[in-house]
Amino acid sequence: MTENRSPAGELLEVCDEPGPLRPREAGSSNDLRADVLRVLGVLKVATADQIQRLSSPHLTYRHTLKPTAAKQKEARNASHRAAVNDLRRHGLAVDGGRTRGGEETRLLTKDGLAAAAIELDREIEEMGGMPKSAGRSGASHPMTVNETVIALIRPKPNLDLVAGEPAEAVAAARAAVDAPDGIGTLTSYATEVALPVKGTWKNPAIGSARADVVLTAPEAGVPLLFIEVDNCTEEAVLIARKFDKYAQFFQRQEKDTDGIEKPLWRTRWSAPPCDEYERVHPPVLLVFHQVGQRSAKSQMARVADLTRHHWQGRWHPEGGYHSYDRCIPIVATTLEELREHGSTGPAFWRFGRDHRQPLLDAIGNARRDAYLARRRQAAREEERRRAEREAAQREARRPVCADCGRKFTDDRWEAIGYTRDWSKRQSHPHLCEDCQDRAVAAEQQAEADERERQEQERLRQEAEEQAAAQKAGGWLSRFRA
């Protein structure tokens, strides 16, 4: 691509050749446009403010001296708005209408989604679909989905990029850095993911579920989490019906590439194997945002009642815990509590429990984990005691040297064992190795002495015979004379 500038200094594009992203009319950089592609590739539709908060959180603490909050926000988001506009000019993004607060939204075109897949290092089939209300006036549901993702990630600013700002802004940035970490990064999330009860991942059958968000962050203790968002506008019955679809999806079996039949979801996502024959389905998080007229608290209670057959466990009296075999762990919270506490605070209610917990505790089963840990410890102790008993019994059978009385070493004990190879059989299996060496040396010396004695005896006899022969020869010569 060649570029010229107008007399006013505006960047003009003459031609566009394949290659990496380059500066465009609005002056955006490669990095800014890549940030926008990544964010919109995950969220599908977002405002410039949401893009900025996810990709450049340090800007949230800049431009604080502007006279009004609106001007501060405009200044913070200016560079990302320029990047979005450049993507729009090149057919990668389009206008998505305005939110209820009047902010412009952007979403990707088909080509933009393909470009985002490259930036995210994902297959195009993994990118998910467009939000059900994308392009509609308000886009309140996608905006709540975005805010949920931001509240879970809790992006931390780079303090070096806030240096020189007013003390209040630096203090706020430092507080954000010192706050508990969120879960995963932008690439840990996917939105509008089809969960086919029939059909394929690419072409799910009618009636399949579609997850608002799928989170995969095994490094944070969350290998797989499905997230559903509600603005308190949908009837509890409709929300409950989604879990019927989830149950159908989780129960669907397919053969994997290794030819083994397993749950379909395990062919796409990694998750811990079934433990102790308990096949718990992946957890689902419900996030309610108090926008509609329905009470978030009453919505939670009503959905919990309607989905009881999906999440209710069975009491295990021996272990003192509930077993959730073939159940769906369902956890609920509000966007307000999620923003306030993050994933590590007591903001999550696991259906069936009487208190709120941090997310990892809510989706887990601490009592069962403790019971299994006790069982494993007891098994280790029993194995240790069994090994000690076997060792004592073996020690009692250990041979003792018939000469010095010392116990055989393991090597000696093994050496005197039965073998078909005569060359390896021991000459003195009742003796230890040292005593055998001495016995063998003594036998060899005795044999040498015996050979020496026999040789001396042979020489003596030969000498006597020679002397006798000489004597006999002397008498014979006298007799002849």
Side-chain angles (χ1 to χ4, degrees), residues 361-401:
D361 294 336
I363 63 177
N365 191 348
R367 289 180 177 178
R368 183 173 185 273
D369 293 343
Y371 168 72
L372 294 180
R374 291 194 300 271
R375 279 187 52 179
R376 288 190 289 268
Q377 180 62 28
R380 287 193 293 268
E381 286 296 319
E382 178 58 31
E383 177 64 21
R384 181 185 62 79
R385 289 191 292 268
R386 185 186 65 79
E388 290 177 350
R389 288 194 301 270
E390 292 180 352
Q393 294 170 358
R394 184 173 185 273
E395 195 64 25
R397 298 193 305 271
R398 185 182 294 274
V400 176
C401 180

Side-chain angles (χ1 to χ4, degrees), residues 418-423 425:
Y418 175 77
T419 176
R420 294 181 181 274
D421 188 351
W422 284 91
S423 65
R425 294 199 174 189

Side-chain angles (χ1 to χ4, degrees), residues 21 59 66-67 91 138 147 222 237 262 272 280 349-350 364 409 425 445 454 479:
L21 295 173
L59 291 178
K66 297 289 183 181
E147 292 301 324
V222 186
V237 174
K262 60 185 65 173
V280 180
W349 174 45
R350 169 78 172 264
T409 63
R425 294 199 174 189
Q445 183 62 45
Q454 291 177 356
F479 176 75

Side-chain angles (χ1 to χ4, degrees), residues 314-356:
R314 292 174 296 279
W315 179 248
H316 192 288
E318 178 186 353
Y321 67 89
H322 279 91
S323 172
Y324 297 102
D325 186 41
R326 295 184 176 88
C327 294
I328 304 175
I330 305 178
V331 180
T333 188
T334 65
L335 181 57
E336 291 74 16
E337 289 180 308
L338 184 58
R339 284 170 169 166
E340 179 182 356
H341 299 288
S343 62
T344 59
F348 302 89
W349 174 45
R350 169 78 172 264
F351 287 178
R353 298 179 184 173
D354 59 2
H355 59 286
R356 293 179 179 269

Side-chain angles (χ1 to χ4, degrees), residues 5 19 31 38 83 106 110 120 152-153 168 262 309 329 362 390 395 415 425 427 448 458:
R5 291 187 179 273
D31 290 341
R38 282 191 290 267
R106 295 286 192 274
K110 183 179 179 180
L120 293 167
L152 284 168
I153 295 177
E168 296 81 359
K262 60 185 65 173
H309 58 290
E390 292 180 352
E395 195 64 25
R425 294 199 174 189
S427 59
R458 184 184 65 78

Side-chain angles (χ1 to χ4, degrees), residues 235-252:
E235 293 183 9
V237 174
L238 297 178
I239 299 174
R241 286 178 185 170
K242 293 181 181 179
F243 289 94
D244 296 334
K245 298 179 181 180
Y246 267 100
Q248 287 181 276
F249 169 70
F250 290 148
Q251 292 165 6
R252 181 178 175 182

Side-chain angles (χ1 to χ4, degrees), residues 152-168:
L152 284 168
I153 295 177
R154 298 171 78 88
K156 293 184 179 294
N158 183 341
L159 293 179
D160 293 337
L161 301 179
V162 188
E165 296 297 316
E168 296 81 359

